[in-house]
Amino acid sequence: MGRLTVLYDADCPLCVHLRHWLLRQRQLVPLDLVPAGSQQARRLFPALDHTVTLREITVVGDRGQVYRETSAWIVCLWALADHRAKAHWLATPAGQPFARITVLAAAKWREALKGAGQEDGQCGDGNCGVPGPPG
């Protein structure tokens, strides 16, 4: 695998934070980070269900492989020099429950962040404010 494209929700503060984190890591496999549902994503991957990519992290390999949810996070870690060993462990029967719980917790946190913004008026149009790169 020579390259991965990570489709992330650009309207999710947690997703944007993780995007910035991924970009700061030393990559063994280059990661292209593209907003899910964007015109760029639709042009690159016309066969994908882009509504689904806005609900769950989706990673696409350079040969058309599609990874979603837990598998997507594991393949992102696998692409990083300092986290490849962790990705291998998370893909084992011993690590898979931990990976799944982590992804479920992140999804709950993501929904809570988006919901909180909508309640206090920050997301009046359904899109939460996106923070810039961490200092």
Side-chain angles (χ1 to χ4, degrees):
M1 186 173 319
R3 183 165 221 92
L4 292 168
T5 301
V6 180
L7 301 175
Y8 70 95
D9 182 353
D11 293 325
C12 164
L14 175 61
C15 305
V16 172
H17 174 77
L18 291 170
R19 173 193 179 272
H20 293 307
W21 180 82
L22 286 168
L23 289 173
R24 289 192 310 267
Q25 306 304 305
R26 191 165 52 94
Q27 299 174 4
L28 296 173
V29 176
L31 298 174
D32 297 320
L33 290 110
V34 175
S38 67
Q39 288 182 343
Q40 180 184 10
R42 291 174 192 281
R43 183 179 45 76
L44 290 171
F45 309 109
L48 279 182
D49 180 342
H50 292 278
T51 303
V52 172
T53 68
L54 284 165
R55 288 194 309 265
E56 59 189 39
I57 182 174
T58 303
V59 178
V60 182
D62 56 0
R63 293 190 180 119
Q65 318 89 311
V66 177
Y67 305 91
R68 296 187 189 278
E69 297 180 336
T70 306
S71 296
W73 283 113
I74 292 172
V75 79
C76 284
L77 291 174
W78 175 84
L80 305 176
D82 296 334
H83 300 282
R84 184 164 274 188
K86 186 179 297 176
H88 283 291
W89 179 77
L90 290 170
T92 68
Q96 285 176 349
F98 178 78
R100 183 72 182 140
I101 288 169
T102 303
V103 168
L104 290 172
K108 266 194 171 234
W109 189 21
R110 177 178 179 250
E111 289 305 311
L113 283 173
K114 288 184 106 171
Q118 289 171 353
E119 289 167 10
D120 66 14
Q122 294 175 2
C123 303
D125 63 356
N127 295 322
C128 295
V130 178

